[in-house]
Amino acid sequence: MPQHRFASAGRRHYGRCVLAATLLCARPVAAETLLCHVTYGGETRILRAEPVASPYTVPVEAIGSYFLFRMVWQKEPADLAAIKLYVLAARDGGAAPIQQLTHPYPPPASTRPDYGFTGLNSVYEPVRDGELQYWCEFSAAAGRAP
């Protein structure tokens, strides 16, 4: 009879271990999201980006009637890991680059947390004298473990 009691306790212990392992696999994890705070014409928008496998599939975001903003974040392969930020002018003849910045991924720790890892950037319209300002940071968003 004592052996039966130990066998039953062993099954309960095994069942608890399986349950704990299942819950650990389904736990929320922090998934990074690239956030860029873009201010133009007195309005601030927060643009979000996830890592991409190919930079060629990333669309531009219209900011007002003149600026286009593009965020490309590649984590892999390691030799191409970077964050590239583009500001373009929406012209009649097509988009023209105004500014392109490349930051390493992961970015180094900032000594000034005020404006994320990019610092505050200002870009000006040559025709209308408008100003676009932006800065970027990473934010942990709740996701599910794969």
Side-chain angles (χ1 to χ4, degrees), residues 99-116:
Q99 182 187 55
Q100 190 261 318
L101 299 176
T102 301
H103 295 274
Y105 180 80
S110 175
T111 57
R112 294 195 56 195
D114 300 351
Y115 294 109

Side-chain angles (χ1 to χ4, degrees), residues 35 37 103 107-120 135-138:
L35 303 176
H37 305 256
H103 295 274
S110 175
T111 57
R112 294 195 56 195
D114 300 351
Y115 294 109
F117 67 87
T118 62
L120 182 62
W135 61 277
C136 302
E137 65 179 333
F138 278 101

Side-chain angles (χ1 to χ4, degrees), residues 12-100:
R12 279 195 307 262
H13 179 69
Y14 175 77
R16 289 182 187 141
C17 288
V18 170
L19 176 62
T22 302
L23 291 174
L24 284 174
C25 289
R27 76 189 188 286
V29 296
E32 283 183 313
T33 300
L34 176 61
L35 303 176
C36 289
H37 305 256
V38 180
T39 302
Y40 178 72
E43 177 187 343
T44 299
R45 294 169 46 191
I46 298 176
L47 306 178
R48 290 169 168 71
E50 301 296 328
V52 295
S54 171
Y56 304 109
T57 61
V58 178
V60 297
E61 181 81 28
I63 309 293
S65 62
Y66 184 79
F67 289 112
L68 302 171
F69 195 81
R70 186 169 180 246
M71 305 166 18
V72 177
W73 172 23
Q74 279 188 273
K75 287 176 138 181
E76 297 174 347
D79 59 332
L80 296 178
I83 300 136
K84 294 185 180 183
L85 305 168
Y86 302 86
V87 179
L88 305 119
R91 297 201 174 147
D92 292 337
I98 299 174
Q99 182 187 55
Q100 190 261 318

